[in-house]
Amino acid sequence: MKQNQRGAIGIAGAVTIGVIALLIVSIIWAVGVRNSYTKLENGISASNENRQTTLSNISQKVKETIGIRGMSMEDIKATVNEQIKARSGDKSPIMNMVREQNIAPSPELYTKIMNIIDSGRTEFLQAEKMLVDRKRNACDVTRNWPHGPILSFFGLPKLHTGCDGDTDDFKVLMNDKSSESFKTGTDGGLY
């Protein structure tokens, strides 16, 4: 009889140890899911900063190429107006301005600016695609079971990426014409 009691205690002890081990493995797995998703959200934030830096860099390169590094558009306009007045001797500044507006930039400058814009658009498009892909991946993870419930237990997601009709703090940039075409569902052409 004592041997049966020892066997029952041994089986109960083994089951208890097995349940505790399963619980520990489950907790470690859930923490791993949380950590992976946190990395994914950090990647979304980094992609957003990357695309902002890319767009800013393109604008800065064009400004520097043109030579308006620290000037605002109002400063440039005032300078041009002053030059026109000085050259015209205050006689018909409108006609001088019309003539001067038709002066073409040098072909080298135009080519350089177009190359900066072209390569910048390609770089910016890659940054936008990376952001879109990371947002889609985050949405997929939160929709999957059991990842979704585990993440919500940890208070995730913290970022708003437009998943399931949520607000989107990281909207992709589109020009006015494209944006209007997607709102109306009618192709308005390229420009």
Side-chain angles (χ1 to χ4, degrees), residues 11-183:
I11 292 173
V15 168
T16 302
I17 289 174
V19 168
I20 290 172
L22 183 62
L23 182 62
I24 290 171
V25 167
S26 297
I27 289 171
I28 291 171
W29 174 73
V31 169
V33 168
R34 180 219 176 269
N35 291 344
S36 294
Y37 192 79
T38 300
K39 287 179 185 177
L40 186 58
E41 282 195 331
N42 290 341
I44 291 170
S45 295
S47 290
N48 186 49
E49 289 175 15
N50 178 48
R51 75 186 184 132
Q52 290 177 22
T53 302
T54 300
L55 189 58
S56 175
N57 190 31
I58 295 165
S59 299
Q60 191 62 34
K61 282 181 181 179
V62 170
K63 286 179 184 176
E64 288 173 0
T65 301
I66 294 171
I68 58 173
R69 192 169 297 178
M71 300 176 79
S72 71
M73 292 311 282
E74 291 303 316
D75 292 336
I76 294 167
K77 196 183 298 181
T79 302
V80 168
N81 286 338
E82 286 175 25
Q83 289 174 351
I84 290 170
K85 283 181 184 178
R87 276 182 259 173
S88 67
D90 286 332
K91 296 177 189 171
S92 186
I94 302 281
M95 287 308 294
N96 270 350
M97 184 176 76
V98 169
R99 272 187 252 134
E100 290 182 14
Q101 289 297 325
N102 293 322
I103 298 172
S106 72
E108 295 85 21
L109 178 63
Y110 179 77
T111 302
K112 186 173 184 178
I113 291 170
M114 291 311 296
N115 286 339
I116 290 169
I117 291 171
D118 187 45
S119 65
R121 283 187 182 180
T122 301
E123 187 179 347
F124 185 72
L125 179 62
Q126 290 171 345
E128 288 281 76
K129 285 181 177 181
M130 181 184 294
L131 177 64
V132 168
D133 189 50
R134 287 184 175 181
K135 287 172 27 177
R136 179 206 44 83
N137 192 16
C139 189
D140 289 347
V141 170
T142 58
R143 286 180 174 171
N144 288 337
W145 192 89
H147 291 88
I150 290 170
L151 293 172
S152 65
F153 173 78
F154 287 111
L156 296 170
K158 292 185 179 186
L159 300 179
H160 299 281
T161 59
C163 185
D164 292 331
D166 187 20
T167 57
D168 190 353
D169 295 338
F170 307 97
K171 292 182 181 177
V172 294
L173 298 181
M174 289 191 291
N175 65 31
D176 294 338
K177 190 75 167 181
S178 297
S179 181
E180 186 64 28
S181 292
F182 283 105
K183 283 180 188 173

